[in-house]
Amino acid sequence: MNHTVSAVNALTARWAQRTRQGTVFSAAGVWPLLAFLADGAAGPARDELTRAVGLQADQAAAGARELLGALASMHGVGAALGLWTDRALELREQWAAGLPADAHGVLGADPAASQEALDAWAAKRTEGLVERMPVKLTEGARMVLATALALHTDWRQPFRETVLRPGSGPWQGRTLAGLHRSSVRTDRIGVTAGPDGHVTTLKVLGGNALDVHLLLGEEGMAPGQVLHTGIGVLERALPVTTGGQLPYGQAGPGVAVERLPSATPDPVRLDVTTVGFEVRADHDLLQLHGLFGLSTAADARAGHFPGISAAPLAIGAAGQSAVAEFGPLGFRAAAVTAVLAAPGGGPPQYRHESTVVRATFDRPFGFLAVHRDTRLVLTAGWVTEPASGAG
């Protein structure tokens, strides 16, 4: 499983580097599709998909099954794979046998009715967070291969709702739905010196081993640089200075360490202020065909998947719809990914001091939803539009 997790996280990191604006995406939703396609591809299409997957093509299908099985076993995670084919399309028995037994459906003669059925599958598998399939059926559609991923977690320590009014930055002057909490777990915050600048990472732990890592970079860092650094921290490729070792004063992006007078010898405290958010995004994966190994596979002048069917097939469309919601009590996210195959062609007496580590996320930041035990990134994104608070 370690090799598969590393391959999925590597795809997440490469996708993250392309991030330029507010978004949410799930490489964990795309990767199994690419792996099954690589297993059935030939020629240059197989080579490109192999590079995108990060495993040898003859190992890709096994990796996809391993990932889907692992996702299904995670508390708070639901994952499904679906395959729908035209009645006239005959699949290679060996390739079809590698898919889940209950995954195969049929595309009817009426594209509108089939689209409605696919949309209903997406909504059901994501608990209504994603209401429709990210690809539209066309008259010539021969096959649709899709994944659905949904996850939710309740925070171990809930946030208190408050109002946040940033005094600087892109959100200056706005009244935002702030979230605040205080704890003695200063190891939840850390600062790393990444290749593109310093990044502050905050782990918000869920009760079912699903955590969300909030990532705040130096002002001027691009979203892709911040997210890429966060994945480097997750993969333990970059050193982190945690809250208890941070110096006094401004210790990192959004982080300050202060000495305060205290009536009692209190332990070091971590005070966190952030914002609630909901992010939605639709992705046309063919616009990033090189990233996903689909450049040759999308050429309809030839067939590229003889291991799937003797009929010539090419990728006619590929997309993902994703959503993430971060609130005072927990986090929810979902993604549906699909590829469509078409024919080829006060003053008391203070006697002590206490130390407070203050972390404030009051300008655009990134996030990673992570399975704690495997360090698999389930969803990632960038927040530019936080939830508004009461005036």
Side-chain angles (χ1 to χ4, degrees):
M1 183 63 183
N2 289 341
H3 292 300
T4 299
V5 169
S6 294
V8 177
N9 284 356
L11 180 59
T12 302
R14 296 195 300 274
W15 196 350
Q17 286 183 305
R18 308 292 186 94
T19 300
R20 299 290 183 271
Q21 58 190 4
T23 192
V24 56
F25 60 90
S26 174
V30 177
W31 195 90
L33 303 184
L34 302 181
F36 282 124
L37 290 176
D39 180 55
R46 185 179 179 90
D47 295 338
E48 292 173 4
L49 283 162
T50 296
R51 287 193 293 272
V53 168
L55 296 179
Q56 293 300 313
D58 58 0
Q59 302 170 355
R65 290 191 293 271
E66 181 182 45
L67 177 62
L68 291 170
L71 290 171
S73 69
M74 294 176 183
H75 295 297
V77 177
L81 182 135
L83 169 71
W84 298 265
T85 58
D86 179 83
R87 293 182 185 277
L89 183 69
E90 294 187 15
L91 297 175
R92 298 287 190 191
E93 194 172 308
Q94 182 178 357
W95 184 83
L99 275 61
D102 58 349
H104 195 180
V106 176
L107 297 174
D110 181 0
S114 293
Q115 183 75 57
E116 186 176 340
L118 295 182
D119 292 346
W121 181 88
K124 179 179 179 181
R125 295 294 185 173
T126 62
E127 302 173 5
L129 287 175
V130 178
E131 297 180 350
R132 58 185 60 85
M133 194 68 73
V135 297
K136 292 294 183 184
L137 289 180
T138 59
E139 289 288 347
R142 304 300 305 275
M143 183 181 83
V144 174
L145 184 64
T147 61
L149 179 65
L151 60 116
H152 70 271
T153 189
D154 295 331
W155 306 134
R156 282 186 177 180
Q157 180 190 1
F159 288 86
R160 175 177 59 83
E161 295 181 86
T162 184
V163 172
L164 178 61
R165 296 185 176 92
S168 62
W171 300 340
Q172 183 178 5
R174 297 176 58 179
T175 300
L176 306 177
L179 302 174
H180 178 268
R181 72 182 193 185
S182 181
S183 77
V184 297
R185 294 304 304 265
T186 57
D187 58 331
R188 302 289 189 242
I189 194 85
V191 177
T192 188
D196 302 299
H198 289 82
V199 173
T200 296
T201 63
L202 172 72
K203 296 178 185 178
V204 185
L205 270 58
N208 54 1
L210 299 180
D211 306 329
V212 177
H213 298 197
L214 303 185
L215 311 169
L216 185 67
E218 293 182 30
E219 293 191 47
M221 286 182 69
Q225 294 173 327
V226 176
L227 288 167
H228 192 262
T229 300
I231 295 170
V233 171
L234 179 68
E235 292 283 293
R236 298 174 180 170
L238 294 172
V240 178
T241 303
T242 55
Q245 284 73 49
L246 291 173
Y248 286 99
Q250 195 67 35
V255 178
V257 182
E258 306 172 358
R259 279 194 183 98
L260 298 176
S262 175
T264 58
D266 296 329
V268 180
R269 191 174 80 244
L270 171 62
D271 278 0
V272 173
T273 303
T274 185
V275 293
F277 62 82
E278 178 181 323
V279 185
R280 294 180 178 269
D282 296 311
H283 304 280
D284 182 347
L285 304 185
L286 293 186
Q287 289 186 351
L288 298 173
H289 51 83
L291 172 64
F292 299 111
L294 297 174
S295 301
T296 299
D299 184 352
R301 294 173 296 180
H304 309 286
F305 300 97
I308 295 178
S309 175
L313 296 173
I315 301 302
Q320 183 180 88
S321 295
V323 60
E325 300 175 354
F326 186 106
L329 302 181
F331 178 83
R332 296 197 307 162
V336 175
T337 313
V339 294
L340 184 149
Q349 296 298 314
Y350 295 116
R351 297 183 179 180
H352 304 275
E353 285 188 334
S354 64
T355 298
V356 179
V357 181
R358 299 192 189 280
T360 305
F361 292 73
D362 61 355
R363 55 184 173 83
F365 59 88
F367 66 90
L368 305 172
V370 178
H371 181 248
R372 189 184 311 146
D373 298 335
T374 62
R375 301 201 303 278
L376 173 67
V377 178
L378 299 168
T379 59
W382 186 256
V383 179
T384 59
E385 282 301 319
S388 296

